[in-house]
Amino acid sequence: MTASPATVPPARRGAAPPTAGYRERVGSLLAAGHRFAGLWVAPGGTGVRALLAAPSGAVDQVVTAPVLAGTAPSVVDLAPAAGWDEREAHDLHGVRFAGHEPLRDLVRHGELAGWTVPVQGDDAYQVAVGPIHAGVIESGHFRFHLVGDRILHLDARLFHKHRGLERFAEGGDVAHGLACVGRACAACAVTNGVAYALAAERLQGLLTTAGLARVRTVLLELERVWNHLNDVAAICAGVGLAAGNNRFSALTDRVRRLVAGLTGHRFAFGAVQVGGSALSAGGDQVRALRADLAALRREAEVSWRELVFTTSFAARLPDVGVVDADDARRLGTVGPAARAAGLADDVRACSPDLAYDGFAPVRPERAAGDVQARFEQRGLELWQSFDLLDQLLDRPLEPVRAEPGGPAAAPAKGLATALVESPRGATACAVEWDGERLRRVRLRTGSYANWPSVAFAASGNLLPDFPLINKSFELCYACADR
Amino acid sequence: MFTLLRDLRRLRREIALPRPDRGRSLAIRHVDAGSCNGCEHELTLASGPAYDLQHLGLGIVASPRHADVLLVTGAVTTRMREPLLVAYAAMPEPRRVAAFGDCALGHGLLAAPGELVGPVRDVLPVDLVIPGCPPTPEEIVTALLELCDRPVTRP
């Protein structure tokens, strides 16, 4: 690199612009405790931007490198979590990354050799699964490399559902961007919508009010509750425990009905808006919702205990699909999977624009990073989310608007980012805007961050255990593929 | 385990699903051709205890070779067109196709140019449409029962 890399103002208001070179800057932020949270190509393909999420309370940073002769410096050696981001930037925008070798296909579906890691030796063979799976599952292809039943390596080829939603958002107005982000995924629709809305509001110099933070947090926690109940049902399905699967499916359905009662839609489509919330629930409705959630919690707790004491079920979970703390840190694992490995990462602990005051992440006592720990983590977070909802639903929900913060509140260069904790982990949204039209939208969901961890967790395990390992992460394909 | 089963039995009594009065059945194979995952989540719950597709003779099967109906969610992406056609080709006659959800019907599609082939009807002959974004489990059950009751015509 000959030219000095350009830098842009940090994601949030008030921090001084960094000046050091791109790789040096990324390296020093990582050393200072920042976490890699996403990478995207700047409008016009002139630069590559990396988002570094601050340890709790501080300011997230965006560092930009210029693209010279189609090439940018790679940071994959500093932050292996950037692997997918750089491969995607290459496939979709043609940017090459100096030092990222081999730069394998991710979004592009080329020859087998272009995206698999060759596994050779006696008795090694491949099992190809998908894109169409045997159950009601999203489309994606898994290529297992095995000896006997033992998985040596897994190459996941996703992006069968790539719809180019981010590209389609470009050139549209802020509302069009929300529609595109909202269509990315139903299971994370609230999270993705809130992440986009927060970034878009920062761009427009709008400030979140306490009322708006509260409404959004209620929606986010309801989304987490039904997703976690769904994940417990899925883990039961992963070992063939039909009674547990049915019981938790029924609970999942009950929460989606509550979401529909509150928002008019079972996945809260349309409930998140930029600049405010139109959601309204009177005293009686909120009291009824709170009582329903309390009753649901009691039932979930009883059923949870039954699962824990069903030995044939519980014995299947420990020491399967391990991603320990060191691996999780290296791979950039987020969400329940990272906390089950003993990491304390939870965006909710540093979300001043949402109603998470005093929030402290929970971790299981035995944070072994295996299926058992990820299962237990879902339970711990369920009870925590029920507690949060009980506190938040102590008064009616009213329509609210974000407050204008004046020109001083808006970032100078038309770039803002936001991080929100989805049921699957940290979701980052970056929005670049010229004052009227969107120039770039990048949505990096918890599922996107964690897919490499699923492949990592599978290696060394038995092929028949893969459904269980996969379901202990229960990632979306839709919000990875976009 | 006893408590789980007891709770499920109580749940079934409370829901009181009507006893099916039909002698027909449908074997269903689902293909996600590019959905947002909403259709999959609702279809999964339609098989759960609150709606119970199975007790109406509607079963999700693992292979298109065992299926009467191909249930397709999402507008068809360019990358899923080929797998969808392969699944359809594997089905025995008589076979039917259900376009499931508003994307599959081509309503309000959001996608960059070149990434979508189009709604399901542009790729396969569609026998049943199940509108909704996504269709609720009740709507799924109603639509599939209507298809189940249609007389079968051999090609």
Side-chain angles (χ1 to χ4, degrees):
Chain A
M1 300 304 302
T2 48
S4 71
T7 53
V8 296
R12 289 197 204 145
R13 299 171 281 271
T19 50
Y22 172 68
R23 279 180 52 83
E24 292 70 20
R25 184 79 193 139
V26 170
S28 67
L29 286 168
L30 290 169
H34 282 62
R35 187 177 56 74
F36 175 84
L39 179 145
W40 67 97
V41 178
T46 55
V48 168
R49 305 200 210 281
L51 173 66
L52 282 302
S56 55
V59 177
D60 301 332
Q61 303 277 348
V62 176
V63 190
T64 302
V67 174
L68 300 172
T71 306
S74 171
V75 290
V76 78
D77 54 328
L78 307 172
W84 269 38
D85 299 73
E86 292 189 353
R87 289 164 66 187
E88 177 176 328
H90 176 250
D91 286 354
L92 294 182
H93 300 275
V95 177
R96 290 184 300 276
F97 288 88
H100 188 150
E101 297 288 343
L103 193 57
R104 292 185 291 139
D105 290 348
L106 183 75
V107 184
R108 208 171 71 91
H109 282 185
E111 295 294 309
L112 190 69
W115 57 274
T116 52
V117 172
V119 173
Q120 289 161 346
D122 293 343
D123 303 326
Y125 69 103
Q126 297 180 10
V127 170
V129 179
I132 300 174
H133 300 278
V136 179
I137 301 171
E138 294 183 87
S139 291
H141 180 85
F142 298 107
R143 177 78 53 158
F144 295 93
H145 305 264
L146 305 144
V147 168
D149 268 354
R150 187 75 60 184
I151 302 168
L152 299 178
H153 176 73
L154 163 60
D155 289 306
R157 184 170 71 168
L158 305 186
F159 298 91
H160 284 83
K161 299 164 60 130
H162 179 65
R163 291 148 285 159
L165 286 170
E166 292 172 355
R167 205 155 20 110
F168 190 61
E170 288 168 16
D173 58 15
V174 166
H176 174 68
L178 182 66
C180 291
V181 165
R183 186 62 60 87
C185 180
C188 317
V190 173
T191 310
N192 295 344
V194 170
Y196 174 86
L198 287 174
E201 285 160 9
R202 283 168 191 163
L203 278 175
Q204 299 176 66
L206 295 171
L207 301 177
T208 304
T209 62
L212 184 54
R214 178 167 155 261
V215 173
R216 285 177 174 168
T217 308
V218 167
L219 294 175
L220 286 166
E221 291 307 312
L222 283 170
E223 182 171 84
R224 190 176 332 276
V225 166
W226 80 248
N227 268 287
H228 277 20
L229 291 168
N230 169 77
D231 294 358
V232 173
I235 291 170
C236 292
V239 301
L241 182 65
N245 173 256
N246 272 301
R247 186 71 191 97
F248 279 86
S249 293
L251 293 167
T252 308
D253 180 56
R254 290 251 304 275
V255 182
R256 279 209 215 129
R257 287 182 199 209
L258 295 179
V259 173
L262 181 66
T263 68
H265 191 278
R266 283 165 60 91
F267 296 86
F269 283 5
V272 177
Q273 296 166 316
V274 178
S277 162
L279 207 64
S280 163
D284 289 346
Q285 196 186 349
V286 168
R287 266 191 297 279
L289 174 59
R290 203 179 181 195
D292 285 340
L293 284 168
L296 220 143
R297 177 196 182 133
R298 282 192 297 275
E299 285 186 44
E301 281 175 340
V302 171
S303 304
W304 176 267
R305 272 198 297 277
E306 274 304 294
L307 283 185
V308 172
F309 288 110
T310 300
T311 13
S312 61
F313 169 76
R316 284 291 311 277
L317 313 184
D319 308 319
V320 179
V322 178
V323 180
D324 68 18
D326 286 343
D327 294 327
R329 214 172 278 120
R330 186 170 54 79
L331 293 164
T333 312
V334 296
R339 295 188 282 278
L343 304 190
D345 293 354
D346 194 318
V347 180
R348 288 178 287 175
C350 47
S351 296
D353 288 335
L354 294 167
Y356 290 117
D357 306 334
F359 178 90
V362 282
R363 279 178 288 181
E365 208 166 288
R366 181 189 165 282
D370 54 4
V371 172
Q372 197 277 336
R374 288 190 286 275
F375 167 74
E376 196 182 335
Q377 183 69 25
R378 293 321 198 297
L380 293 173
E381 294 190 12
L382 270 173
W383 321 136
Q384 193 181 29
S385 290
F386 276 120
D387 282 344
L388 269 167
L389 283 165
D390 194 58
Q391 290 159 23
L392 291 164
L393 292 169
D394 61 346
R395 55 194 187 282
L397 295 170
E398 283 152 7
V400 274
R401 300 220 50 85
E403 283 172 1
K413 290 220 177 161
L415 160 65
T417 61
L419 278 163
V420 176
E421 185 76 16
S422 86
R424 291 161 190 83
T427 290
C429 189
V431 182
E432 303 203 31
W433 185 59
D434 65 9
E436 283 182 20
R437 302 279 147 204
L438 296 168
R439 308 230 24 232
R440 192 83 182 89
V441 176
R442 168 83 169 115
L443 181 71
R444 190 184 195 267
T445 61
S447 290
Y448 187 95
N450 276 359
W451 271 112
S453 302
V454 173
F456 178 85
S459 56
N461 288 264
L462 299 179
L463 185 62
D465 271 341
F466 180 71
L468 175 62
I469 297 168
N470 193 18
K471 285 175 186 308
S472 73
F473 288 88
E474 187 64 2
L475 305 179
C476 319
Y477 300 61
C479 63
D481 295 0
R482 293 154 288 135
Chain B
M1 181 64 86
F2 171 75
T3 312
L4 285 177
L5 295 171
R6 189 199 59 198
D7 282 357
L8 283 169
R9 206 175 65 171
R10 178 178 53 78
L11 200 70
R12 289 301 289 256
R13 263 202 310 273
E14 284 169 11
I15 299 167
L17 289 172
R19 193 174 285 277
D21 57 352
R22 60 191 63 245
R24 296 206 184 95
S25 69
L26 277 182
I28 300 159
R29 174 82 287 258
H30 154 254
V31 174
D32 164 16
S35 77
C36 76
N37 199 6
C39 289
E40 282 68 28
H41 272 289
E42 293 296 54
L43 183 57
T44 302
L45 284 192
S47 304
Y51 312 96
D52 200 1
L53 285 181
Q54 290 81 353
H55 100 292
L56 299 165
L58 306 168
I60 311 269
V61 293
S63 167
R65 295 193 193 282
H66 309 154
D68 304 309
V69 185
L70 201 63
L71 197 66
V72 188
T73 62
V76 184
T77 62
T78 50
R79 295 136 191 264
M80 278 307 294
R81 181 178 173 276
E82 196 61 37
L84 177 61
L85 289 172
V86 170
Y88 182 69
M91 293 172 73
E93 297 278 6
R95 57 189 169 177
R96 285 147 155 184
V97 175
F100 184 110
D102 283 353
C103 292
L105 304 181
H107 298 160
L109 297 183
L110 300 178
E115 300 293 359
L116 290 188
V117 182
V120 177
R121 64 172 175 272
D122 290 0
V123 182
L124 293 174
V126 171
D127 301 281
L128 174 73
V129 295
I130 309 178
C133 182
T136 62
E138 290 95 340
E139 288 165 349
I140 295 168
V141 171
T142 308
L144 288 174
L145 285 180
E146 189 268 316
L147 183 67
C148 196
D149 289 342
R150 275 190 213 171
V152 174
T153 48
R154 290 193 174 271

